[in-house]
Amino acid sequence: MSNKLRETPRYLAVELLTRINQQGTYSNLGINQVIKKHQLDEKDAHFFTNLVYGTLQHRLTLEYWLQPFIKQPQKVAPWVHELLLLSLYQMQYLTAVPEWAIFNEAIDIAKVKGHAGTRRFVTAVLRSIQRQGVRAVKEIKDTTKRLSIETSTPLWLVKELTAELGLKKTAAILATTNEPSKNSIRFNMSQPTEDKLAQTIKGLQAEGLEVERSQVAFRAGTVTAGFAPTSLAYQRGELSVQDESAMLAVESMQIKPGDQVLDACAAPGGKTTQIAIELNESGRVTALDIHAHKVKLIEVNAKRIGVADYVQAQQLDAREVAKKFAVASFDKILVDAPCSGLGLLRRKPEIKYDKRLADSQKLQQIQLAILNAVAPTLKEGGQLTYSTCTILQGENQDVVDRFLAQHSEFEQIKTKTHYGIKDEREELSLTIYPDDFKSDGFFIATLIKKSR
């Protein structure tokens, strides 16, 4: 029984949730590794994924509900705590799952991973919750604190977003961050046309995938059924898995054949390969990363897609670019800067619990240092694109404004995309919030180096 139990979605979810919260494992990577290692079928893989993401996404809400039932939380082992949160998530959010199934397997897991005392403790807590029910979040009188618990978002982040965007927009953003993320793909073809894209989608449909065209990015599609990475099209390099918002940075660069392009913070190479495709077999993209193993990853991705001849991957800290490359080396530069990643809460919900405002403020210095380093290597008339996957102004337009204040040779122009996303806005930069199109949160600024 114990060996069989260790292969169940609930047991595996407890194990992974413990690793995420104790060791900092990324949820999306951990989920994929567990599914592959244990060869979970489609049904179990879906349930397992739901358990992990759901428990992470609603963690603060679940903690709020669980707290009255635990008298000495410091004495509860981390895995037992995760087991209780996981069980509570199922009881409150997965109403189609029978309560007896939740209880029985939770008690079995407690018995196998712990001892008789652990089993009795877990049983007692779950039975108490069943009898008494959980306290209502609506009882919290403070509006900001209530939104924090309701959406399971740290209080500092609720306050910061509210100060920047107002309570209504903040509530709308945070409500959507606990929804499932879309499965987006990029079509890897040079000079795509509507006919070419339609033919590619037909081929995917023949393989059993259901795909819809994106209304956000031109080269993008959304997979509503099936798993793109197992398709023949993916194996042939015709597809990449990438969020729609993330594609807009390169789309806005208007890459031309023959361009010399720098991707200053390139790993794992999604935007690098997107640039290489846009070059249409003429020009080069120099892709940098500070870590050797990530440089290898860029090279692997470029090879899979068939653009390795136009990608030069190098290990280099982007803050050292001016020491390595000559003045006016590049026509276009992309700085997809290291950031707090708070636009990715659907895909990596655990990051919101690890970040602090001080972390974001520290990143501003790194982001500005990278922009300062790459600036001399851009040709006159060239375009510098600054992007992040966060929605905090301090890492976005504030960084751009500080850079422009130090570099009179640059000016910011309005960021444009193929579909004219949010073109009616007054701001020159483009910010995609998670509630705008149900895609990742993303920021893009376009800077031009003026001719002297």
Side-chain angles (χ1 to χ4, degrees):
M1 169 66 183
S2 62
N3 287 336
K4 188 176 179 182
L5 181 69
R6 288 187 173 93
E7 296 295 319
T8 62
R10 289 185 178 93
Y11 188 98
L12 296 172
V14 171
E15 296 264 281
L16 180 55
L17 285 166
T18 306
R19 287 202 302 277
I20 289 168
N21 288 293
Q22 294 295 111
Q23 302 170 22
T25 303
Y26 282 129
S27 57
N28 57 338
L29 299 178
I31 285 170
N32 291 338
Q33 288 166 359
V34 170
I35 290 172
K36 188 175 179 180
K37 179 181 176 181
H38 295 273
Q39 298 182 323
L40 299 183
D41 61 29
E42 188 173 349
K43 181 181 176 183
D44 281 352
H46 178 76
F47 186 45
F48 165 73
T49 303
N50 186 333
L51 292 174
V52 175
Y53 272 137
T55 305
L56 287 172
Q57 286 171 332
H58 299 283
R59 188 172 193 84
L60 295 186
T61 315
L62 296 171
E63 296 273 14
Y64 175 78
W65 285 333
L66 182 62
Q67 186 182 7
F69 300 96
I70 308 289
K71 292 180 181 178
Q72 295 179 300
Q74 70 278 5
K75 292 187 176 182
V76 179
W79 71 263
V80 176
H81 190 72
E82 298 303 327
L83 174 60
L84 291 171
L85 293 179
L86 179 78
S87 302
L88 191 49
Y89 167 68
Q90 295 171 78
M91 293 166 71
Q92 294 298 313
Y93 292 97
L94 304 185
T95 53
V97 178
E99 212 162 66
W100 62 263
I102 301 168
F103 280 43
N104 287 356
E105 196 160 334
I107 292 164
D108 285 342
I109 291 170
K111 188 163 52 178
V112 168
K113 284 182 69 68
H115 47 71
T118 314
R119 176 182 58 78
R120 287 193 295 271
F121 173 73
V122 169
T123 303
V125 171
L126 294 181
R127 292 299 178 198
S128 295
I129 294 171
Q130 186 184 45
R131 285 193 307 271
Q132 298 174 35
V134 296
R135 53 183 176 171
V137 175
K138 290 181 180 178
E139 292 176 359
I140 302 172
K141 292 181 181 178
D142 183 271
T143 304
T144 309
K145 187 177 179 183
R146 184 169 63 249
L147 183 58
S148 168
I149 298 299
E150 199 170 51
T151 63
S152 193
T153 308
L155 194 57
W156 76 265
L157 183 53
V158 176
K159 288 179 177 179
E160 192 68 18
L161 289 173
T162 301
E164 292 181 12
L165 304 170
L167 186 62
K168 185 177 179 181
K169 181 64 174 177
T170 298
I173 290 170
L174 297 180
T176 63
T177 57
N178 290 331
E179 296 173 355
S181 58
K182 289 194 280 187
N183 297 315
S184 302
I185 54 174
R186 188 185 77 223
F187 301 110
N188 295 326
M189 60 178 74
S190 58
Q191 297 182 312
T193 63
E194 294 291 349
D195 286 344
K196 281 184 181 179
L197 291 168
Q199 288 170 11
T200 301
I201 290 173
K202 278 186 180 179
L204 293 171
Q205 289 170 342
E207 288 195 58
L209 274 70
E210 293 181 18
V211 182
E212 297 175 354
R213 282 290 306 279
S214 168
Q215 300 303 305
V216 178
F218 180 58
R219 293 178 180 273
T222 302
V223 180
T224 55
F227 189 56
T230 59
S231 67
L232 292 174
Y234 183 90
Q235 293 165 27
R236 290 193 298 262
E238 296 169 8
L239 302 177
S240 291
V241 175
Q242 189 179 20
D243 186 78
E244 298 160 285
S245 295
M247 298 180 210
L248 295 179
V250 174
E251 187 174 290
S252 73
M253 291 174 73
Q254 300 179 356
I255 303 292
K256 295 180 175 61
D259 276 347
Q260 295 296 313
V261 185
L262 174 66
D263 187 353
C265 312
K271 295 180 182 67
T272 301
T273 56
Q274 189 181 356
I275 291 168
I277 291 164
E278 297 281 6
L279 290 172
N280 197 23
E281 302 184 1
S282 176
R284 181 179 296 275
V285 52
T286 302
L288 309 180
D289 194 85
I290 195 170
H291 301 291
H293 71 281
K294 290 189 176 181
V295 172
K296 290 267 196 297
L297 191 56
I298 297 168
E299 292 171 340
V300 168
N301 281 331
K303 187 175 180 181
R304 182 184 73 81
I305 293 169
V307 294
D309 289 347
Y310 315 102
V311 174
Q312 183 178 14
Q314 298 182 34
Q315 183 183 1
L316 184 70
D317 186 329
R319 291 170 289 188
E320 303 295 319
V321 164
K323 297 177 183 178
K324 177 74 175 178
F325 297 97
V327 171
S329 294
F330 302 104
D331 300 290
K332 305 278 173 67
I333 296 177
L334 171 63
V335 174
D336 186 38
C339 69
S340 58
L342 292 169
L344 308 178
L345 295 185
R346 286 193 192 93
R347 298 181 193 282
K348 298 177 181 177
E350 69 279 3
I351 64 176
K352 61 184 172 182
Y353 310 119
D354 299 332
K355 303 292 181 185
R356 300 292 182 269
L357 183 58
D359 299 325
S360 177
Q361 292 167 340
K362 199 176 295 181
L363 282 163
Q364 294 172 24
Q365 305 305 317
I366 297 171
Q367 293 155 350
L368 187 60
I370 294 171
L371 286 174
N372 287 334
V374 304
T377 67
L378 184 66
K379 296 176 182 178
E380 288 187 0
Q383 180 174 318
L384 168 56
T385 299
Y386 174 75
S387 64
T388 74
C389 55
T390 192
I391 52 176
L392 292 179
Q393 185 173 315
E395 297 177 61
N396 293 340
Q397 189 60 44
D398 285 0
V399 172
V400 173
D401 289 342
R402 288 177 65 186
F403 173 78
L404 290 173
Q406 298 171 19
H407 293 270
S408 58
E409 74 275 24
F410 280 87
E411 66 176 329
Q412 184 174 4
I413 64 171
K414 196 166 191 177
T415 298
K416 297 280 190 178
T417 66
H418 182 88
Y419 288 133
I421 297 297
K422 299 177 79 170
D423 266 1
E424 72 287 352
R425 71 189 187 277
E426 293 180 6
E427 299 83 5
L428 296 175
S429 57
L430 173 62
T431 305
I432 305 292
Y433 295 103
D435 64 318
D436 289 340
F437 306 104
K438 303 300 174 73
S439 57
D440 288 346
F442 221 85
F443 171 85
I444 310 167
T446 306
L447 310 177
I448 299 296
K449 193 171 192 178
K450 294 180 283 188
S451 300
R452 293 179 186 269

